[in-house]
């Protein structure tokens, strides 16, 4: 009997339908999320693009400076006084340095350092970059590179070079290791000479390596060149003359200036001792001063021509007016004014020739103190002379209302009044230019045409003073040693006690000479000051006048100035000592 089997049908899983609101909520959430992401993407890509770009640049983009070549300094004839030469900076990453004792010793020797200094610089500390030495010559850098010391590297830089070294040091000055002017004309014209650095944009990796150059953002602008009025030939003439004088007279220092009377251009401005701006290690701070510009002194008898010129100008005297100087002594209150020896009766021109303190004092008593002060002020005494050089001294000229009679007398012959050699040189142009005082400059003028000046005295007065000062260089005057073979010269000696503290040190002197040449048609004014000569004389006629003679002789020939006198002099004649 068969049995029927009831297979039936398979059971379907139960169906739980999703509520409509849930599906809509889920879909809405997904859409909102996608919308938020889209908006965020838009914000990042469009609205915050600059911000994000700047953040990326801050991490990887860099602006590198393109050095601007510093301008050169030249003399008037194109002789280089300051320029740039290639150099290298030697640096290390301390943690990478590996060298033997022998390498350490050689490296120290090449860099001019001690082994201890090398060890200190490469000590393993937190420094990632340390300079061993900067501005190293290329040949030294090449020797160091050949040693192949791990961790010792070099990079390009420039070094300021001064070919004329000590001869121009007080004028050019120098820069620091970063190429910024620190002294002299390097400081004065720093903004013009240094130029403007350029900028280049690069991409660096995290190790600091340049992986992409994105181009120049700003071109470097080279610094301007500066052409000075100075003549390297004349400057060297003056340097050697001062050097020899300081050594011969065992003096503390000496300064001198040479000025072209046609243009006011300073052809030489020198001090000795000097210094080498190329090697400043252990430099004496005293050596840095441009003493001709920054230091003041009592000029002594070199001021007598100004007092006499004022008296001539006002008609108080003539060159032949007699002045009784008596027995060489003049009592003024409690003060006693003396001449080096009795001269008796002198003419005005002989007062200058023999440098009589008494004669000059008596002439000054013919003048109103206010007129004397005005004249001194008009030639620049007591006022800072703007010549574009740092540290220019103003000098000392007290108000005339405070003058006592003895002070008027002493100022007439250069005591109780103080000035720099620059001021004295400037003032002496009035005698070389027929009564006009010309402005001085350290920068070469574009034209050689004669410059105009400021009238102080009449041409007649200036010419009469030139004659008197010429007599001072002749036999019977105080400065026959100022004579020059082939050229007539005119000038005035000066000897003064050094001012120390609140008074004078009567064992120390300042010897000066100021003059011009040739007398027939003055081309140059030359001034010389020798500080504290202690050997072979101390009077201006013995110490400073021969230096003037040497400078004038060589300078006029260098400038090809036509001789105006016979080729004979009385240089060997004994000078009359000027009064103190």
């Amino acid at each position: 009997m068969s049995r029927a089997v009831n297979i039936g049908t398979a059971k379907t899983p139960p169906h739980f339908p999703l509520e409509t609101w849930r599906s809509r909520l889920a879909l809405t959430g997904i859409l909102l999320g996608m919308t938020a992401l889209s908006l965020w993407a838009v914000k990042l890509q469009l609205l915050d693009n600059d911000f994000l770009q700047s953040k990326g640049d801050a991490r990887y983009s860099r602006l590198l400076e393109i050095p601007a070549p510093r301008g050169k300094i030249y003399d008037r004839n194109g002789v280089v006084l300051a320029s740039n030469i290639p150099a290298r900076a030697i640096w290390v990453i301390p943690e990478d340095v590996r060298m033997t004792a022998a390498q350490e010793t050689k490296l120290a020797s090449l860099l001019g350092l001690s082994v201890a200094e090398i060890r200190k610089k490469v000590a393993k500390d937190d420094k990632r970059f340390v300079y061993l030495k900067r501005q190293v010559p290329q040949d030294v850098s090449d020797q160091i590179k050949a040693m192949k010391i791990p961790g010792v590297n070099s990079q390009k830089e420039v070094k300021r070079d001064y070919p004329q070294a000590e001869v121009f040091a007080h004028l050019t000055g120098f820069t620091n290791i970063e190429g910024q002017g620190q002294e002299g004309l390097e400081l004065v014209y720093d903004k013009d000479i240094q130029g403007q650095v350029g900028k280049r944009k690069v991409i660096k990796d995290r190790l600091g390596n340049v992986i992409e150059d994105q181009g120049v953002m700003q071109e470097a602008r080279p610094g301007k060149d500066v052409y000075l009025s100075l003549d390297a030939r004349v400057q060297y003439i003056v340097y050697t003359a001062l050097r020899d004088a300081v050594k011969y007279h065992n003096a503390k220092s000496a300064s001198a200036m040479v000025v072209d009377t046609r243009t006011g251009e300073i052809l030489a401005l020198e001090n000795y001792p000097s210094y080498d701006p190329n090697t400043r290690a252990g430099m004496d701070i005293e050596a840095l001063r441009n003493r001709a510009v920054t230091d003041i002194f009592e000029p002594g008898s070199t001021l007598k021509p100004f007092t006499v010129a004022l008296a001539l100008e006002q008609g108080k005297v003539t060159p032949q007016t007699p002045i009784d100087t008596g027995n060489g002594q003049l009592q003024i209150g409690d003060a006693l004014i003396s001449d080096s020896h009795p001269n008796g009766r002198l003419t005005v021109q002989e007062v200058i020739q023999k440098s009589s303190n008494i004669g000059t004092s008596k002439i000054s008593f013919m003048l109103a103190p206010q007129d004397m002060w005005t004249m001194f002020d008009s030639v620049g005494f007591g006022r800072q002379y703007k010549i574009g050089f740092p540290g220019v001294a103003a000098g000392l000229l007290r108000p005339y209302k405070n003058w006592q009679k003895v002070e008027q007398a002493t100022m007439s012959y250069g005591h109780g009044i103080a000035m720099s050699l620059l001021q004295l040189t400037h003032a002496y142009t009035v005698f070389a230019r027929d009564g006009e005082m010309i402005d001085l400059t350290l920068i070469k003028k574009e034209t050689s045409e004669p410059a105009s000046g400021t009238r102080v005295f009449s041409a007649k007065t200036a010419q009469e003073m030139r004659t008197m000062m010429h007599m001072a260089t002749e036999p019977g005057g105080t400065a026959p040693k100022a004579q020059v073979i082939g050229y007539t010269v005119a000038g005035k000696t000066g000897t003064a006690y050094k001012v120390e503290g609140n008074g004078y040190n009567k064992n120390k002197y300042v010897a000066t000479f100021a003059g011009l040449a040739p007398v027939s048609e003055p081309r140059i004014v030359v001034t010389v000051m020798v500080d504290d000569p202690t050997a072979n004389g101390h009077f201006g006629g013995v110490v400073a006048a021969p230096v003037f003679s040497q400078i004038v002789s060589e300078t006029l020939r260098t400038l090809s100035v036509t001789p105006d006198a016979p080729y004979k002099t009385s240089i060997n004649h004994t000078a009359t000592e000027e009064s103190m």
Side-chain angles (χ1 to χ4, degrees):
M1 168 176 172
S2 63
R3 181 179 292 178
V5 178
N6 186 13
I7 299 175
T9 59
K11 293 184 178 180
T12 302
H15 176 65
F16 301 99
L18 183 65
E19 295 181 23
T20 302
W21 69 272
R22 290 178 180 273
S23 61
R24 291 178 178 175
L25 181 61
L27 180 59
T28 300
I30 292 171
L31 290 175
L32 288 174
M34 292 177 65
T35 300
L37 290 174
S38 298
L39 291 174
W40 183 251
V42 170
K43 181 177 183 297
L44 293 179
Q45 293 294 324
L46 298 179
L47 302 180
D48 291 345
N49 181 65
D50 292 342
F51 172 76
L52 296 174
Q53 188 67 42
S54 66
K55 289 298 183 182
D57 287 348
R59 287 177 171 81
Y60 301 107
S61 181
R62 295 288 186 271
L63 284 178
L64 300 182
E65 285 191 349
I66 304 174
R70 190 171 177 84
K72 295 180 180 179
I73 300 178
Y74 297 93
D75 88 329
R76 64 183 303 104
N77 299 312
V79 175
V80 177
L81 307 180
S83 63
N84 306 312
I85 59 174
R88 305 288 294 189
I90 308 300
W91 58 276
V92 298
I93 297 177
E95 62 185 7
D96 294 343
V97 175
R98 303 287 185 274
M99 60 180 160
T100 65
Q103 288 176 320
E104 190 177 56
T105 300
K106 184 176 180 181
L107 179 62
S109 176
L110 288 171
L111 294 178
L113 302 172
S114 67
V115 171
E117 288 175 306
I118 292 290
R119 289 176 178 173
K120 182 178 179 180
K121 288 177 179 288
V122 300
K124 305 300 185 292
D125 52 22
D126 59 349
K127 294 181 181 178
R128 289 179 54 85
F129 180 96
V130 179
Y131 281 117
L132 289 185
K133 191 170 185 179
R134 299 188 62 184
Q135 297 189 346
V136 174
Q138 184 65 52
D139 60 332
V140 174
S141 177
D142 291 341
Q143 294 181 61
I144 293 173
K145 182 179 180 181
M147 294 170 66
K148 298 181 178 179
I149 304 174
V152 178
N153 307 280
S154 70
Q155 65 186 36
K156 289 182 180 180
E157 59 179 9
V158 295
K159 179 182 180 181
R160 199 66 166 165
D161 182 58
Y162 303 93
Q164 301 294 318
E166 295 95 336
V167 179
F168 273 90
H170 288 112
L171 288 162
T172 59
F174 54 83
T175 62
N176 62 15
I177 204 164
E178 301 296 340
Q180 300 166 331
Q182 300 297 294
E183 289 284 344
L185 297 175
E186 289 275 32
L187 174 60
V188 174
Y189 295 102
D190 187 52
K191 290 183 178 180
D192 294 325
I193 298 175
Q194 70 179 346
Q196 182 175 328
V197 297
K199 295 179 181 179
R200 179 183 295 277
K201 190 174 184 180
V202 299
I203 300 295
K204 290 187 175 184
D205 63 17
R206 65 185 184 84
L207 298 177
N209 300 311
V210 175
I211 59 175
E212 182 182 347
D213 187 342
Q214 295 189 316
V216 175
M217 307 298 291
Q218 178 180 307
E219 294 286 353
R221 177 174 59 80
K224 296 179 181 178
D225 295 334
V226 175
Y227 284 83
L228 303 183
S229 64
L230 292 110
D231 189 317
R233 301 168 300 173
V234 180
Q235 184 81 355
Y236 184 74
I237 289 168
V238 176
Y239 176 82
T240 55
L242 294 183
R243 179 194 62 196
D244 294 346
V246 168
K247 292 180 179 179
Y248 181 70
H249 294 286
N250 192 30
K252 180 180 179 181
S253 64
S255 302
M257 289 183 63
V258 180
V259 169
D260 187 328
T261 62
R262 301 173 308 171
T263 62
E265 292 172 301
I266 297 173
L267 301 179
L269 191 160
E270 188 61 88
N271 303 282
Y272 187 88
S274 185
Y275 66 95
D276 186 352
N278 296 302
T279 55
R280 300 192 293 274
M283 181 186 295
D284 182 4
I285 296 298
E286 283 289 311
L288 296 180
R289 285 204 327 276
N290 188 341
R291 292 178 291 275
V293 171
T294 64
D295 291 12
I296 62 173
F297 61 95
E298 292 194 350
S301 298
T302 56
L303 238 61
K304 289 175 181 174
F306 295 95
T307 302
V308 173
L310 180 60
L312 290 171
E313 191 76 1
Q314 293 188 349
K316 305 293 185 181
V317 297
T318 71
Q320 300 302 324
T321 299
I323 305 292
D324 185 9
T325 65
N327 63 354
Q329 292 187 332
L330 177 64
Q331 191 76 37
I332 304 177
D334 295 332
L336 181 66
I337 292 176
S338 302
D339 283 342
S340 58
H341 52 269
N343 287 303
R345 200 173 186 83
L346 297 174
T347 63
V348 168
Q349 63 184 11
E350 289 174 329
V351 167
I352 293 296
Q353 180 188 28
K354 299 184 180 299
S355 195
S356 170
N357 289 344
I358 295 174
T360 309
S361 297
K362 287 191 171 183
I363 292 172
S364 76
F365 296 152
M366 303 177 189
L367 305 169
Q370 183 175 358
D371 292 343
M372 277 187 64
W373 186 95
T374 301
M375 180 270 296
F376 284 151
D377 177 71
S378 69
V379 294
F381 299 154
R383 290 190 283 123
Q384 188 180 55
Y385 184 56
K386 305 289 185 181
I387 197 174
F389 200 90
V392 175
L396 176 64
L397 175 61
R398 290 181 293 105
Y400 66 89
K401 292 182 179 179
N402 299 329
W403 291 4
Q404 302 295 322
K405 186 174 183 179
V406 67
E407 292 171 321
Q408 180 172 351
T410 58
M411 275 188 276
S412 75
Y413 57 84
H415 291 260
I417 182 172
M419 62 198 61
S420 68
L421 192 67
L422 170 66
Q423 290 173 303
L424 183 63
T425 308
H426 185 213
Y428 257 76
T429 62
V430 300
F431 301 126
R433 289 179 54 89
D434 288 344
E436 284 187 343
M437 188 170 69
I438 190 173
D439 285 337
L440 306 185
T441 179
L442 286 166
I443 300 299
K444 182 181 179 180
K445 291 189 173 181
E446 295 181 358
T447 176
S448 59
E449 292 296 318
S452 59
T454 301
R455 175 67 58 187
V456 177
F457 300 120
S458 67
K460 180 175 181 292
T461 294
Q463 290 163 6
E464 288 175 339
M465 290 311 307
R466 285 209 298 270
T467 298
M468 295 184 205
M469 290 190 290
H470 175 60
M471 290 174 59
T473 68
E474 293 291 296
T478 57
K481 291 187 177 182
Q483 292 180 31
V484 175
I485 294 176
Y487 296 96
T488 55
V489 299
K492 187 68 193 72
T493 55
T495 308
Y497 294 121
K498 284 197 67 172
V499 177
E500 291 187 349
N502 295 322
Y504 294 101
N505 185 331
K506 295 193 175 182
N507 294 314
K508 294 183 178 182
Y509 304 88
V510 176
T512 56
F513 190 90
L516 54 90
V519 175
S520 57
E521 189 175 350
R523 175 65 187 279
I524 57 174
V525 165
V526 176
T527 56
V528 179
M529 186 274 288
V530 181
D531 184 10
D532 195 19
T534 60
N536 301 306
H538 63 264
F539 284 102
V542 175
V543 177
V547 180
F548 169 89
S549 174
Q550 181 180 343
I551 292 172
V552 169
S553 176
E554 296 183 35
T555 297
L556 292 181
R557 287 171 174 79
T558 297
L559 300 178
S560 300
V561 176
T562 303
D564 72 335
Y567 281 85
K568 61 180 180 178
T569 68
S570 306
I571 290 177
N572 292 325
H573 286 222
T574 302
T576 301
E577 293 181 353
E578 73 261 24
S579 302
M580 293 291 296

